[in-house]
Amino acid sequence: MTVAQPQPEGLSPECETGNYHTFCPISCVAWLYQKIEDSFFLVTGTKTCGYFLQNAMGVMIFAEPRYAMAELEEGDISAKLNDYDELKRLCLQIKRDRNPSVIVWIGTCTTEIIKTDLEGLAPKLESELGIPIVVARANGLDYAFTQGEDTVLAAMAARCPDKAPVAETEKNERNAIQKLMNFGRQKEDVAQEESEYANHPPLVLFGSLPDPVVTNLTLELKKQGIKVSGWLPAKRYTELPVLEEGYYVAGVNPFLSRTATTLMRRRKCKLIGAPFPIGPDGTRAWIEKICSVFNIEPQGLDEREAQIWASMEDYLQIVRGKSVFFMGDNLLEVSLARFLIRCGMTCPEIGIPYMDKRYQDAELKLLEKTCHEMGVPLPRIVEKPDNYNQIQRIYDLKPDLVITGMAHANPLEARGINTKWSVEFTFAQMHGFTNARDILELVTRPLRRNNSLKDLGWDKLVKEDAKV
Amino acid sequence: MKLAYWMYAGPAHIGTLRIASSFKNVHAIMHAPLGDDYFNVMRSMLERERDYTPVTASVVDRNVLARGSQEKVVDNIVRKDREEHPDLILLTPTCTSSILQEDLHNFVERAQLDSKGDVMLADVNHYRFNELQAADRTLQQVVHFYIEKAKKKGDIPSGKTEKPSVNIIGISTLGFHHHHDCTELKRLMVDLGIEINEVIPEGASVNNLKNLPRAWFNLVPYRELGLMAAKYLEEEFGTPCVDITPMGVVETARCIRKIQQVINAQGADVDYSEYIDNQTLYVSQAAWFSRSIDCQNLTGKKAVVFGDNTHAAAMTKILAREMGIHVVCAGTYCKYDGDWFKEQVSEYCDEVLISEDNGQIADMIARIEPSAIFGTQMERHVGKRLDIPCGVIASPIHIQNFPIGYKPFLGYEGTNQITDLIYNSFTLGMEDHLLEIFGGHDTKEVITKGISAGSDLNWTREAQIELNKVPGFVRGKVKRNTEKFARERGLNEISLEVMYAAKESVGA
C-alpha cells in the first residue's frame, strides 16, 4: 500500500488527538479465561489495573475467576525485590492451587516502564515449573481494549504445534467441535463424511468467540464443503491447532492484526483477507472470499442471506433512515457501520482507536461498496478520536443513535441523545447469519425504549448549559 | 509482589478524583495511559450522573515514554481551561506517572501562566496511599490552597457567623450513601438550630472555601474522609472538630452532646437533652425496636461485621449495644488506621480482624458460620456461597447500593434504615422458630441439596433421614459440624448416635 492519495470520494481515515475513552486492553482477560478453560491469567501490574478489572468485570469477579493480579509494590518498582523470585513464588502458588495447563502473563504499563523482561523470564521459569508461560504485553501505552486479545493470540500463535501429531484420530476425538459434529456417529460414517469436504489446504480460523458461535460458523463453512482444521484459541490450551507452513488462516474479528501478522510472518501461513462475518452481508462476503481462495463455487448463499434479511424486517423498519455515530472504542466499528448502512442507516462518523488498513482492507472496500449501493455518503473515519471534539460534533449533527462507552452514555441520554453502550457488542454473540438479529436487537433497544417514552416530554433532563 | 484477586480500597488517584469531581466546576486531568479513565465509567454508572464527569486524561503513550510529556500536559491543562473554564484544574498523578518521575510541579507552574483558573498538583504517592487516604489528603490540600490564597489577598471573612454554624466535611461522590447522609445531617442541624456554613467537597465551589473559618465548628461524619482538612482548620483557626459518627441511636446522641458542648464553649446556650430524649424514645423507631419482641428473638445470634472503619465500628456497636446481638468478629480493611478501629470495637466483639485479604475474611466467615453478615459486596457474595444472609454496610459497592429512595445511614432516620437492614438480614425470628419446630416448610421428602457432595464420610440411612429433618437453612451447618466431630474422633460412619453426640458436644 502506498501513501494515501487525497481522494475526495474514497475512505481516508483522519487522525485526532487520541483523547478518548476506552477500556484498558487487560480486560481481554475477562473473556479469554472463560474461553480457554485450562488457562490462568496473571496480570502483573498495580492497584490501578486491579481496580479496573475488578470493576469492569462486575459479578464475574465473585465466581473464583482463573485470573489474578501480581500486584507490584514499591520494592518491585525500585528493584529491591527480584522479579524472577517474586514471579516464581506467585506462579508456584498458582500451580499448587489451580494447576492450570498454561499461565498467561499479562504485561502492563508499569512493567513496560520499569522494563521488566517478562519475555526473558518466562522461558526460564517455564522449564523450572513445568507449565507453559505465555507472555502478552497488553498495556494501555500501546493498545486499546480488544487489541488485548490480539496480543494474547499473537503470543499463543507461537505455541501452536507445527506438526500434526501422529495419533491424529485420537486428537480428533478430543476436539470439542469435531465431537459435537460427529456426535453419535460411527467411525466409518465420520470417514465417509470426510469425503463431503472439498479437497482444500487446511484452514485455521483465529479469534476468540463463544463456543456456540464457533460451532455455528464451522457448520456454515461445512455447508460449502470447507473443513475448519482448528481455531486459535481452542477451548483448551492443550488443544491449540496445528499450524504448518502453507496453511490458510482467516480472521473473524477486525482487531486481530498482530495475530494475522504473526501467523503470516512467523508461521508462514497464508492470510485470507476478507470482510468479517458480522451481519448477513459480512458473513456472506466472508464465506465467499474463503470459497474463492479455495476455488469453490459457493452454494445457496443468496437465499440464505435474503432469508436472514427478511427475518429481520421488523427491526429494519425501526432503523431505516436513521443515523448512527460511532465514538469508537473497540475496533468493531467499521464492520458494524458497514452492516448498519446496509440496514438502511446513515453514518456520519466512525471513530476507531486504531485502523490497520491492510488487515481491514476487504472490510473497508465492502463498506465503500455498501455506501455506493445504498446511495449514502461515505462516513468520516476518525482514528484516535478526541471525545471532547466528538461531543461537539454530536451536538451539531444530532444523530439518532450514538454508540459510545459508558462514560458518555448517561450524560448524552440526559441531553436527549439515544445511546447504545459499545462494550455490549464485544460480549454479545453477533457473528454469522444466525446472530445478525442480535446485533439489531442491541442497536434498536434504545430506539424502542425511547419510542415508548416519547410522549412523556422527558427528553432533556439537564438544565440548559449557558453557551459561553 | 502480592497475589491479589480483589481489593477493598482503590488506588490513590481514585480518591483524588472523587474529591475533584465532588466540587463544582473543578476539573481533574490525569497523567495516565489510555484506559485509566475508568473512574468516569464508575461515576456515570453507579451515581447515574447526568453530567459528564469532569475528568480527562493527558494520555501517556510511547511518545511520552521516549521524550517525556514535554508540552503535552501543559497543553492539555490550558486547553481544558479554555474549553470549560473551571475554577480549578487538579493535575492527578497515577501509578504510571509515579514511576515516570516527571516534574509535574513544573508543568503546573507553566500551565498556570496561561490559565485563567487555578492549577494545582495533587500531592499523592500511589505506592504509599490508597483511595481513602488520598481523598483525605487531597481535600486537605485543596482547602489549604484556597485558604492560603485568600490569606494572601486578605480575603478571609473575619469572625464567626452570628448564630452557631457548622461545616460538614467529607461528603463525596461515590461515597456509601453520602448524599442521603448529607440530607439527614442538614435536617439534624436545622432541628438543632445550627446553620450550615459550608458542605465540602460535594456540590461546593472552591471560591467559597475561604468562608470555612466562619463556622463555629466542623462536623466530620466519616472517619476516612475529612479529618485532615478539619485538623488543618483547627490548627489554623482554632475551629473545633466533632468527629463522632452519628450512626446508631447511642452514637447520634453522643455526637449531639459533643456539639452542644462545643458550641456552648463558644457562648451559645443550648441544651439538647430533651431533643435527644424525644427523638430516641418516640421519633426514631430503633430504641423501641430494641425493646420489642422481634428484637428479642435476635438475642445472642451470631453476626460478623466487616467494612471500612466508620461503618464497621458503628455497626458493631449498634448490633452489640443496641440489639444484644453477639458480634463474634468485627473487622476493617483500613489497615493504616487499625489501632483506632481496635480501640472502638474491642469491648463489643470477641475478635478483631484487620486485613485487606478477602480470602482471609471469607475463611473467618466460614469458620464462624454466623446467622448474618454485615459487610461489603464481597462479603455479600461470600454469604451467597455459604447460604448466609448479608446486609451491605460499606464500600466497595455495586449499583444497587446507590438507591434512588431516601436511605441515610446517619442521624435518626438512619437508625430506622439500619434497623430494617439488620432485621431483614436475619432470618425472620418467628419464622425461624416455627421452621425448627415443624422441620421445614416441606414435610415430605426434603430436597438434600449439597448434602452428599464432597463428603468422604458415610451417613447411615437413619442418620441421613434425621439430617433431612433439619431445616434447610441450617442443615449444611449441622452436617459440617457433625462431620468435623466424626473426623476429630476418627469415625468414618455417622450413625444417629454420632449425630447426637456431636450435637451435645458442639451444639450442632
Side-chain angles (χ1 to χ4, degrees):
Chain A
M1 186 151 297
T2 51
V3 182
Q5 301 292 318
Q7 333 160 271
E9 283 302 300
L11 281 164
S12 51
E14 44 188 299
C15 193
E16 272 190 305
T17 62
N19 266 320
Y20 64 102
H21 166 75
T22 181
F23 273 16
C24 173
I26 59 172
S27 53
C28 67
V29 165
W31 64 88
L32 287 176
Y33 92 77
Q34 296 195 335
K35 175 71 194 178
I36 309 171
E37 289 172 359
D38 53 353
S39 62
F40 191 98
F41 285 77
L42 183 68
V43 183
T44 310
T46 61
K47 258 188 185 321
T48 308
C49 313
Y51 197 65
F52 163 71
L53 278 179
Q54 171 173 326
N55 286 296
M57 286 200 221
V59 290
M60 271 197 264
I61 209 88
F62 300 108
E64 295 239 348
R66 288 186 318 280
Y67 96 84
M69 291 292 308
E71 194 184 311
L72 298 167
E73 292 165 299
E74 204 163 10
D76 298 302
I77 304 299
S78 55
K80 265 198 194 129
L81 298 166
N82 181 303
D83 297 334
Y84 182 76
D85 295 340
E86 292 295 299
L87 283 167
K88 184 175 172 185
R89 184 168 58 79
L90 300 193
C91 288
L92 275 171
Q93 196 181 333
I94 292 166
K95 184 183 175 182
R96 197 184 59 223
D97 297 347
R98 306 293 184 100
N99 196 26
S101 310
V102 61
I103 298 178
V104 183
W105 286 353
I106 303 286
T108 62
C109 303
T110 312
T111 53
E112 287 298 310
I113 296 170
I114 63 175
K115 298 193 168 52
T116 313
D117 183 18
L118 294 176
E119 276 97 343
L121 296 173
K124 268 203 283 180
L125 202 53
E126 182 170 314
S127 61
E128 273 192 57
L129 245 64
I131 294 182
I133 295 174
V134 172
V135 180
R137 305 203 282 181
N139 61 68
L141 295 168
D142 300 311
Y143 305 109
F145 196 11
T146 49
Q147 288 181 288
E149 175 181 323
D150 194 21
T151 61
V152 174
L153 295 189
M156 290 261 177
R159 301 302 184 109
C160 293
D162 53 8
K163 275 264 159 20
V166 189
E168 175 73 26
T169 48
E170 195 186 318
K171 163 110 181 135
N172 277 348
E173 288 297 336
R174 276 184 297 142
N175 187 309
I177 312 161
Q178 294 281 335
K179 217 168 162 184
L180 190 68
M181 289 165 55
N182 298 339
F183 182 71
R185 290 183 192 157
Q186 299 297 320
K187 276 238 167 70
E188 300 78 58
D189 292 340
V190 176
Q192 193 197 351
E193 204 172 84
E194 290 286 303
S195 65
E196 287 172 17
Y197 291 113
N199 187 20
H200 65 83
L203 169 70
V204 171
L205 301 179
F206 58 95
S208 163
L209 293 176
D211 294 331
V213 185
V214 167
T215 312
N216 189 266
L217 286 179
T218 308
L219 289 172
E220 214 62 75
L221 288 174
K222 191 184 167 204
K223 281 186 195 153
Q224 306 300 334
I226 294 170
K227 184 178 176 187
V228 178
S229 306
W231 277 78
L232 173 68
K235 256 170 98 74
R236 290 170 176 279
Y237 177 78
T238 48
E239 288 165 3
L240 280 179
V242 175
L243 287 173
E244 283 182 46
E245 187 169 338
Y247 274 26
Y248 279 83
V249 292
V252 296
N253 267 323
F255 45 77
L256 298 171
S257 58
R258 273 176 72 93
T259 310
T261 312
T262 309
L263 290 170
M264 286 191 291
R265 294 199 186 145
R266 308 286 292 273
R267 306 305 305 254
K268 312 278 184 245
C269 295
K270 290 175 187 151
L271 177 71
I272 303 177
F276 301 99
I278 292 169
D281 50 339
T283 308
R284 180 194 177 155
W286 183 71
I287 295 172
E288 276 178 344
K289 183 65 193 281
I290 295 173
C291 285
S292 80
V293 170
F294 293 148
N295 280 321
I296 293 168
E297 184 70 35
Q299 301 296 320
L301 283 181
D302 264 341
E303 301 79 50
R304 187 97 169 95
E305 195 194 342
Q307 175 203 343
I308 298 292
W309 284 116
S311 73
M312 300 194 298
E313 183 54 32
D314 50 342
Y315 280 152
L316 293 175
Q317 281 175 8
I318 301 175
V319 298
R320 250 178 224 130
K322 301 258 176 16
S323 59
V324 57
F325 187 110
F326 287 86
M327 285 186 79
D329 71 346
N330 59 15
L331 282 90
L332 296 168
E333 292 87 0
V334 173
S335 309
L336 284 173
R338 179 260 302 149
F339 166 60
L340 292 179
I341 290 170
R342 178 61 72 184
C343 290
M345 296 185 87
T346 57
C347 178
E349 176 164 333
I350 303 176
I352 186 168
Y354 167 73
M355 183 76 227
D356 185 330
K357 282 206 281 189
R358 279 192 301 179
Y359 178 63
Q360 294 223 38
D361 184 49
E363 183 64 87
L364 285 168
K365 288 207 172 96
L366 182 58
L367 170 66
E368 215 172 316
K369 184 170 156 241
T370 304
C371 287
H372 289 316
E373 286 175 8
M374 299 302 290
V376 299
L378 288 175
R380 164 184 192 183
I381 296 185
V382 180
E383 206 180 346
K384 288 170 168 281
D386 184 296
N387 280 167
Y388 182 85
N389 295 344
Q390 283 185 314
I391 285 170
Q392 311 309 314
R393 293 200 287 273
I394 288 170
Y395 290 162
D396 290 342
L397 291 162
K398 299 192 175 55
D400 296 302
L401 181 67
V402 175
I403 295 184
T404 179
M406 200 64 223
H408 294 109
N410 268 340
L412 286 170
E413 288 282 350
R415 283 157 183 78
I417 294 162
N418 301 325
T419 61
K420 184 74 223 146
W421 187 26
S422 53
V423 173
E424 288 189 48
F425 292 102
T426 328
F427 296 112
Q429 302 192 356
M430 59 171 202
H431 290 71
F433 287 121
T434 320
N435 295 317
R437 200 178 158 83
D438 291 22
I439 309 178
L440 284 184
E441 159 70 26
L442 287 178
V443 169
T444 57
R445 194 177 297 158
L447 303 172
R448 284 178 285 133
R449 195 269 310 264
N450 293 346
N451 202 27
S452 60
L453 300 181
K454 74 172 186 287
D455 296 329
L456 296 171
W458 295 345
D459 283 352
K460 289 230 167 78
L461 293 156
V462 284
K463 294 186 179 135
E464 202 61 51
D465 309 346
K467 291 254 178 196
V468 187
Chain B
M1 275 179 217
K2 200 170 78 179
L3 198 63
Y5 296 88
W6 167 266
M7 66 182 84
Y8 284 97
H13 70 269
I14 298 289
T16 299
L17 297 180
R18 277 178 57 187
I19 298 303
S21 52
S22 294
F23 278 110
K24 257 192 317 207
N25 214 23
V26 169
H27 200 100
I29 293 187
M30 301 167 68
H31 188 236
L34 202 61
D36 274 4
D37 57 353
Y38 191 72
F39 177 79
N40 299 31
V41 176
M42 291 182 61
R43 184 156 181 273
S44 179
M45 283 188 78
L46 298 178
E47 296 262 25
R48 279 181 216 91
E49 249 315 315
R50 300 176 197 214
D51 279 313
Y52 300 99
T53 299
V55 174
T56 42
S58 174
V59 177
V60 175
D61 55 15
R62 282 281 156 191
N63 287 332
V64 171
L65 283 200
R67 311 158 36 237
S69 289
Q70 297 195 353
E71 300 302 319
K72 198 171 184 179
V73 175
V74 177
D75 287 349
N76 278 321
I77 295 175
V78 174
R79 176 183 162 189
K80 202 40 77 180
D81 182 69
R82 251 189 1 251
E83 283 168 358
E84 314 241 309
H85 313 285
D87 296 324
L88 167 68
I89 290 179
L90 195 62
L91 182 59
T92 309
T94 58
C95 57
T96 310
S97 61
S98 287
I99 37 179
L100 284 178
Q101 300 198 325
E102 286 192 276
D103 190 355
L104 298 179
H105 272 290
N106 177 36
F107 293 155
V108 163
E109 274 165 32
R110 277 167 50 203
Q112 182 66 83
L113 297 176
D114 292 324
S115 303
K116 288 213 185 75
D118 296 311
V119 185
M120 64 184 275
L121 173 68
D123 184 18
V124 173
N125 181 323
H126 175 92
Y127 292 94
R128 307 237 164 116
F129 303 116
N130 69 17
E131 169 188 349
L132 304 171
Q133 294 164 288
D136 202 15
R137 294 180 75 83
T138 304
L139 182 59
Q140 190 269 350
Q141 210 194 336
V142 173
V143 169
H144 181 268
F145 181 89
Y146 279 96
I147 295 285
E148 285 300 317
K149 190 179 164 186
K151 265 194 194 161
K152 255 182 224 147
K153 282 164 85 181
D155 217 9
I156 299 217
S158 59
K160 303 283 173 191
T161 54
E162 204 178 313
K163 286 190 188 155
S165 64
V166 61
N167 297 319
I168 300 176
I169 300 180
I171 308 290
S172 129
T173 189
L174 290 174
F176 181 73
H177 292 243
H178 274 204
H179 289 108
H180 306 298
D181 284 348
C182 184
T183 309
E184 187 61 23
L185 289 176
K186 284 181 181 167
R187 279 189 188 175
L188 181 62
M189 294 305 133
V190 170
D191 282 356
L192 300 178
I194 294 170
E195 284 176 0
I196 307 288
N197 188 52
E198 294 288 337
V199 177
I200 62 167
E202 185 63 41
S205 159
V206 287
N207 297 322
N208 289 351
L209 292 176
K210 60 173 187 284
N211 297 330
L212 286 172
R214 282 175 59 78
W216 288 33
F217 72 102
N218 294 318
L219 177 61
V220 181
Y222 309 112
R223 174 76 191 170
E224 293 78 19
L225 177 53
L227 271 184
M228 279 184 77
K231 286 263 158 59
Y232 164 73
L233 291 169
E234 189 162 11
E235 280 160 25
E236 198 69 25
F237 303 102
T239 316
C241 164
V242 175
D243 61 354
I244 299 165
T245 304
M247 182 170 157
V249 180
V250 179
E251 291 297 293
T252 303
R254 205 158 73 86
C255 176
I256 296 173
R257 283 195 203 98
K258 177 78 185 180
I259 291 173
Q260 175 182 321
Q261 182 200 332
V262 159
I263 61 176
N264 281 349
Q266 295 176 66
D269 179 23
V270 293
D271 182 0
Y272 293 136
S273 6
E274 199 184 319
Y275 173 78
I276 294 172
D277 277 353
N278 194 45
Q279 288 286 324
T280 304
L281 298 179
Y282 311 116
V283 178
S284 158
Q285 299 296 314
W288 158 234
F289 173 80
S290 306
R291 193 63 213 230
S292 73
I293 51 165
D294 285 331
C295 187
Q296 211 179 83
N297 283 327
L298 301 183
T299 309
K301 290 228 178 211
K302 287 197 286 184
V304 159
V305 180
F306 192 82
D308 60 6
N309 267 355
T310 305
H311 293 92
M315 202 64 190
T316 305
K317 291 180 198 169
I318 294 170
L319 291 168
R321 188 163 59 183
E322 298 179 16
M323 297 190 177
I325 289 162
H326 178 194
V327 180
V328 183
C329 180
T332 178
Y333 54 81
C334 299
K335 266 171 103 169
Y336 64 94
D337 198 17
D339 292 341
W340 179 88
F341 185 77
K342 253 186 222 149
E343 183 204 311
Q344 292 290 309
V345 303
S346 304
E347 57 177 307
Y348 299 107
C349 60
D350 303 348
E351 26 175 320
V352 176
L353 176 62
I354 294 172
S355 170
E356 292 172 326
D357 176 1
N358 67 295
Q360 203 183 343
I361 291 135
D363 289 347
M364 176 269 287
I365 295 172
R367 169 172 57 82
I368 292 172
E369 300 204 40
S371 306
I373 309 165
F374 298 93
T376 70
Q377 277 291 338
M378 193 60 182
E379 283 67 52
R380 191 173 75 85
H381 283 267
V382 172
K384 259 189 183 170
R385 266 211 307 271
L386 300 174
D387 221 357
I388 302 171
C390 176
V392 174
I393 56 152
S395 297
I397 39 183
H398 284 172
I399 191 143
Q400 68 263 42
N401 304 113
F402 289 87
I404 295 171
Y406 186 53
K407 293 210 160 53
F409 270 65
L410 304 187
Y412 285 109
E413 178 54 26
T415 63
N416 293 339
Q417 297 293 335
I418 293 168
T419 303
D420 280 342
L421 178 75
I422 294 173
Y423 188 60
N424 294 338
S425 297
F426 283 99
T427 311
L428 301 179
M430 280 312 272
E431 188 189 352
D432 180 346
H433 196 53
L434 292 173
L435 283 171
E436 221 160 311
I437 291 174
F438 296 115
H441 288 296
D442 189 358
T443 48
K444 285 176 282 175
E445 191 71 13
V446 180
I447 300 155
T448 56
K449 190 185 92 192
I451 287 293
S452 57
S455 171
D456 53 336
L457 291 162
N458 258 334
W459 286 69
T460 65
R461 226 182 94 75
E462 294 76 30
Q464 185 70 54
I465 291 168
E466 188 65 21
L467 181 65
N468 287 352
K469 287 184 192 157
V470 176
F473 56 93
V474 284
R475 197 180 304 141
K477 187 167 148 186
V478 170
K479 179 170 183 264
R480 276 193 293 277
N481 282 345
T482 310
E483 291 188 347
K484 190 174 159 214
F485 174 86
R487 248 183 230 113
E488 277 166 3
R489 280 155 190 79
L491 305 167
N492 48 21
E493 190 175 72
I494 296 174
S495 60
L496 272 179
E497 288 73 28
V498 177
M499 255 184 107
Y500 290 131
K503 178 160 186 168
E504 282 150 25
S505 105
V506 292

